[in-house]
Amino acid sequence: MQPTVVVNHHRQTAIVIAKHGSKYEIIKLGKGRLTVSSLSAAELELQGYKACEYSPSQAAHSYLQHGAGVSNRAKKYLEYIARNKFSDTLTLT
């Protein structure tokens, strides 16, 4: 699965980084330290997240500079995304 930048109706962004079974692994941008969490497709929809046309690499670069820090697991994913090219036209399939 290609990394996908998503945004909800509160303009909160996240990067969907992987899919394992029925769960999506995501990194949500927030006030605290950035970590990897798992959500189902229904939970993503319930929270209002929709795919947007924003560069995953550009978002990853921005997330790596997060003032509150980034967990080691999230950092590994973000560094991989930041140094690779991915399409900006995305879907959550």
Side-chain angles (χ1 to χ4, degrees):
M1 175 181 172
Q2 170 177 305
T4 303
V5 178
V6 294
V7 64
N8 70 12
H9 51 277
H10 296 294
R11 305 294 298 155
Q12 296 168 320
T13 62
I15 302 175
V16 179
I17 55 175
K19 185 175 182 185
H20 298 289
S22 64
K23 295 280 189 170
Y24 290 96
E25 299 277 310
I26 70 166
I27 301 171
K28 290 183 184 180
L29 184 60
K31 292 183 182 182
R33 183 176 165 150
L34 302 184
T35 60
V36 177
S37 57
S38 296
L39 292 175
S40 69
E43 290 169 318
L44 278 172
E45 186 176 329
L46 185 63
Q47 293 182 24
Y49 283 103
K50 304 274 188 214
C52 66
E53 293 186 18
Y54 189 81
S55 165
S57 298
Q58 187 175 354
H61 279 290
S62 176
Y63 278 35
L64 284 166
Q65 304 302 315
H66 188 60
V70 181
S71 73
N72 287 336
R73 184 171 177 217
K75 185 176 181 180
K76 182 181 88 170
Y77 279 114
L78 292 171
E79 286 174 341
Y80 174 79
I81 295 166
R83 70 176 174 263
N84 290 285
K85 288 268 186 193
F86 296 98
S87 171
D88 293 345
T89 304
L90 310 164
T91 60
L92 288 175
T93 56

